[in-house]
Structures are given as structure tokens and as C-alpha cells.
Amino acid sequence: MFRKVLIANRGEIALRVIRACRELGVGTVAVHSEADAASLHVRFADESVCIGPSDPAQSYRNIPNILSAAEITGADAVHPGYGFLAENSYFADVCESAGIKFIGPLPECISLMGDKAKARDLMAKNGVPIIPGSEGIITNVEEGFEVARKIGYPVIIKAVAGGGGRGMRVVHEEPAFSDAFHAAQSEAGSAFGNDGVYLEKFFIEPRHIEIQVLADDKGKMIYFPERDCSIQRRHQKLVEESPSPVVDDRLRRELGRAATAAVTASHYVNAGTVEFLLDRDHNFYFIEMNTRIQVEHPISECVTGIDLIKEQIKIAAGKPLALKQSQVKLNGHSFECRVNAESPETFTPCPGKISAFHVPGGPGIRVDSASYMGSVITPYYDSLVAKLIVHAGTRDEAISKMNGALTEFVIEGIDTSLPLHKKIFNDPSFIKGRFSTTFLDHFLADLKK
Ligand code: MV4
């Protein structure tokens, strides 16, 4: 096992990794920016190093400073968390070159999945269903016209380096294609330094379903029951649940088979997530693979009892995966609310000092947060204040538990998304499990009426 893990992150996920290390008897090194000196991850790690100013480019994304901190403290592994350097193949590569284990997949795997057109191509070749679209990237408008005519409008133009919804354009008819194509190309070029785009048939009201996987470096792997992440606004997820209210055992096994095929095809190691779109007829299609631990991982932990972060660390340390697929049993239902510091009207981040903080409790209630009374949500980083996670025997019981927990959660001094979460958990369509990725936009439009 590792002696000491450096956590190249902040906030709740840094704290989550510190807790997992502690349980494994592994030492921890926190790194922090100047803005985060009073943060809980600094307080609860065994050691800490200041790695630069508040601007994440100069601290949490500063590779030389993070590697120096690892060398000074003698850390033998780095956990990247999510965001920042988590999907930076160069970072994973230089960690390995410096003799520090990167807790995640190999750099080659990160860059392969970072190219959405290459990932799509690999899946198609390995029997994972993909959405009808282009083979590889589209280099000019004429080529785009041809593919779009073949698959039929509406189509969606996506950046190969995108993901999470950035650099996408939906085109409903041919006259709009040319402008959208050039706009997508130039947006992708300036956002990602890569102007490659590809084409897919646009699905109107899909559900966003994802499968968590764990794979060791000996070829063993397991998949988890699906997460439904359809409740989002502008690609920011607000509520996630596992299992999905529309997936049955048979579909769950098919999704698992597709996810494990994706792992095998890419020689994937460590924790990853395979994303699918699910259409009205419950056909599913691969969209992308995330090569990091995700924000919503706790709901998968709740319904299986498996600690994903501990498994990540053990896999990176070269231990064989001790879990068999038959030991991954779906138990009950779990929801997560991402409680953000944001204005209820504009959804813009609302930084400030938390003047009162009371977290709900009781059986089946979990709060992953690095906030406390007196802590400050700064404008430098994401505006996540807490993840409120519930687990109960059935979906209805979990909804009821979430409603109680939302009522008890007190956060004062800043505006948060808690009032919106309460409204969602009282919406009849949501309660019935009837929603798609467009649910929240319609819901918010109706609220304004
Ligand atoms: C799509 C799609 C519909 N059709 N692809 C969004 C994030 C990225 N992972 C892929 N995404 C989507 N890809 C096809 N072919 C719908 C989404 C999508 C979405 C698109 C526009 C606005 C909001 C969205 C929310 C979830 C998913």
C-alpha cells in the first residue's frame, strides 16, 4: 500500500479522499491555494503545502508546484479528485515519470477518452451502440451536409475535445448548418485548442444514464447499477439518483455489458464512468467516458455499500479487485442534491461567508461537504456548498427522506439552490419518475409563469 497520498484538489472531494486514506492507514498531504488556508482539507490532512495564489491556474492546476509538494513531502501517490487536473493526461504522465503513482487510468487512456470522436469509433468497433453520425471528425461543410442528410435533421455538432456539453451546436435544418458548423469549430478551437468536431443525430428528450465501473490492472472489472443524471441545467447536474426509475433488471444487465465492453476495448484501469443517452423506447447509446471519480459517486456507494475511493486507491496500489460482480447488489434507492451557492433567480454563483450551517442527520442521510459556520465560498472555484445524499429502501421512501433533510438543512449568509431542490422534490412528474434532460428547463419556465 502507499505510504502517503497527496490530494491534488480541494473542498468536499479532498475531504472525501482524506477519509478514505485514513481508513486504509495511508498518510495524507493536502495542497491548498492562498484562499484555502483555513479549509477543512488542510486541517484534516496529516500535512499541508501551500501551492500558490487563489487563481486555480497558479495553484490547483499548477503541475510543477503540485509535483514539488509531492517531492518535498515524500508522497508516493496523487489522487486528482474531479475537475482541475483529473483528466489531464500530461499530468498523469509526469506523475508517473516522477515515480509518483497517479490514482486513475493510464495517460494513454485519458487522452483516448478525451477525444470523443476516437472514443466513439472505438466503441462502434467493439459492439457498443453509438448514435448514428460521422465516422471521425468532419473537416468541411460539404462533408457535414452529406452526413447530416444521411442521418436526417436535427443533428448535433460536438467538439471532439468537448464533453460536459461545451462546444455543442444543435442544427434543425440544412440552411442553418454552415453557420453552426463554423461557430462550433471556432468555439472549440478557442475553448480547447482543438477545433475538431463530429456529428450525431440529435435526440430530442433523452435521459442521461451512466454506468460506474471499477477495473484493476489484472483484467478484472465490475459495473455498478446505473445513475440517472437527467435533472440538469446547462449541463450542471442538480439531482442524481440510482437506480434510474425507468431501468429494469434486464436493461441494467445490458448497460453493464456495454460498459464492460468499453472497459475491455480501452484497457481501462481504475474507476470510470460510461455515459449513455436513453431514448423513449429505452434504446441506449454510448456518448462518452469520464476517466475520473465523479461528483455523484456517493449514490452508487449507497446502493451497493462499496467505497469507491478506497477501491480506487487499492487498484492504483496494484491490488487485485476483491469484488466479484455477484457481490455488487442493488440495495434500495439513493438521491443526491448538489447544493450550490447561487442566486435563485439568475443561477449565477453567489459567493460569501456562511453565517449559519446546520446539516440534517439520521439513518440514511449523508452530507459530503467542506463547509462550516464561518467558512467562505470564494468566487475562484466551483460553488458547491454540500452534497446531500439520502438512501432508503424504495424510491418513494428516499424522496420522503430527502424532503425531510432539505427542510432541516440550514445554510445562512449566502443564497443556495436548496429552495429549488425542495420544489423539484415536490413536483408530480419528478415524483413519478417521468423526466428527461429537458425537464428542468421546462420546470423553471413554468415556475416563472
Ligand atoms: C446529445 C444529446 C442529444 N443528442 N447527443 C450533453 C453533455 C454531453 N455529455 C452530451 N450531451 C448531449 N448529447 C445527441 N446526439 C443531448 C445531450 C444533452 C444535452 C444537450 C443539450 C442541452 C442539454 C443537454 C442535457 C443533457 C444531455
Side-chain angles (χ1 to χ4, degrees):
M1 189 34 77
F2 302 121
R3 278 190 318 111
K4 217 186 250 188
V5 171
L6 180 144
I7 300 107
N9 215 299
R10 62 180 300 284
E12 68 85 20
I13 193 63
L15 217 44
R16 174 71 188 85
V17 176
I18 289 169
R19 289 171 178 151
C21 289
R22 200 189 287 135
E23 287 184 27
L24 290 169
V26 174
T28 51
V29 180
V31 293
H32 68 90
S33 67
E34 284 165 8
D36 277 342
S39 297
L40 290 187
H41 75 285
V42 175
R43 182 160 172 170
F44 292 144
D46 298 322
E47 297 168 72
S48 67
V49 181
C50 180
I51 49 165
S54 310
D55 174 5
Q58 295 183 68
S59 49
Y60 297 107
R61 290 182 189 277
N62 185 328
I63 295 175
N65 287 11
I66 290 170
L67 282 179
S68 303
E71 271 160 18
I72 291 163
T73 55
D76 47 4
V78 168
H79 195 300
Y82 53 71
F84 298 125
L85 298 169
E87 287 170 291
N88 185 316
S89 60
Y90 174 74
F91 179 59
D93 201 27
V94 294
C95 284
E96 300 289 318
S97 305
I100 298 160
K101 186 73 191 171
F102 177 81
I103 302 175
L106 289 173
E108 297 76 22
C109 211
I110 299 175
S111 31
L112 169 69
M113 292 306 176
D115 184 322
K116 312 294 162 188
K118 278 194 190 139
R120 200 178 123 80
D121 199 44
L122 181 70
M123 295 310 140
K125 287 190 169 68
N126 286 275
V128 180
I130 59 163
I131 299 172
S134 61
E135 227 177 274
I137 63 167
I138 300 271
T139 50
N140 59 66
V141 174
E142 282 66 39
E143 200 185 331
F145 277 159
E146 207 175 299
V147 176
R149 267 180 216 157
K150 209 161 76 191
I151 61 179
Y153 289 87
V155 299
I156 182 166
I157 305 167
K158 295 183 176 181
V160 295
R166 293 209 296 157
M168 306 195 320
R169 281 284 189 294
V170 179
V171 186
H172 292 276
E173 48 190 11
E174 191 166 285
F177 186 87
S178 181
D179 284 355
F181 177 78
H182 294 297
Q185 260 192 340
S186 84
E187 193 177 300
S190 42
F192 314 113
N194 175 353
D195 71 356
V197 296
Y198 64 105
L199 217 66
E200 279 178 0
K201 175 86 184 165
F202 180 65
F203 281 30
I204 304 295
E205 289 187 335
R207 292 180 86 112
H208 184 139
I209 302 283
E210 57 185 35
I211 301 287
Q212 175 76 55
V213 293
L214 278 177
D216 69 15
D217 56 10
K218 283 109 190 132
K220 279 191 69 184
M221 66 188 85
I222 54 173
Y223 68 88
F224 286 64
E226 75 289 344
R227 298 189 287 249
D228 192 320
C229 306
S230 302
I231 307 294
Q232 57 78 43
R233 181 183 175 273
R234 302 211 175 149
H235 308 291
Q236 294 297 317
K237 297 165 185 167
L238 261 92
V239 177
E240 300 101 346
E241 65 178 300
S242 182
S244 167
V246 299
V247 172
D248 61 15
D249 283 340
R250 197 191 130 167
L251 180 53
R252 186 163 300 124
R253 270 194 299 276
E254 285 176 26
L255 285 160
R257 223 171 14 166
T260 49
V263 168
T264 305
S266 56
H267 306 286
Y268 196 88
V269 173
N270 215 288
T273 297
V274 189
E275 290 189 3
F276 299 96
L277 290 186
L278 189 70
D279 71 15
R280 276 171 191 285
D281 305 322
H282 294 184
N283 300 306
F284 63 85
Y285 306 87
F286 171 87
I287 43 172
E288 52 193 71
M289 181 163 187
N290 300 320
T291 58
R292 61 172 189 278
I293 193 73
Q294 288 185 248
V295 177
E296 60 270 30
H297 77 275
I299 58 174
S300 297
E301 298 184 322
C302 283
V303 296
T304 62
I306 297 168
D307 184 321
L308 281 162
I309 310 291
K310 277 161 70 174
E311 293 303 323
Q312 281 195 292
I313 297 167
K314 289 191 276 183
I315 288 168
K319 299 202 181 296
L321 190 59
L323 294 154
K324 293 201 270 295
Q325 189 62 50
S326 60
Q327 293 172 288
V328 187
K329 291 209 189 78
L330 171 59
N331 169 28
H333 204 100
S334 181
F335 284 100
E336 173 179 277
C337 285
R338 293 193 194 185
V339 182
N340 289 306
E342 65 187 26
S343 149
E345 282 91 38
T346 60
F347 302 102
T348 47
C350 182
K353 189 172 184 156
I354 296 174
S355 57
F357 194 70
H358 174 263
V359 298
I365 295 179
R366 164 175 169 184
V367 178
D368 280 18
S369 173
S371 300
Y372 54 91
M373 188 172 88
S375 73
V376 177
I377 303 293
T378 75
Y380 305 112
Y381 316 113
D382 73 28
S383 51
L384 187 71
V385 181
K387 305 192 302 202
L388 172 56
I389 304 125
V390 300
H391 180 219
T394 66
R395 188 170 188 272
D396 285 344
E397 286 165 357
I399 289 174
S400 169
K401 200 182 279 286
M402 183 62 89
N403 270 311
L406 286 166
T407 305
E408 267 195 27
F409 210 152
V410 178
I411 305 173
E412 286 169 9
I414 53 169
D415 281 334
T416 74
S417 51
L418 279 170
L420 177 57
H421 288 297
K422 287 179 192 162
K423 287 179 198 142
I424 294 170
F425 274 82
N426 284 286
D427 177 79
S429 299
F430 176 78
I431 291 169
K432 286 189 202 112
R434 292 194 197 139
F435 52 82
S436 75
T437 49
T438 63
F439 169 88
L440 203 57
D441 292 332
H442 295 301
F443 182 81
L444 293 170
D446 290 347
L447 278 185
K448 281 196 191 144
K449 279 184 201 154

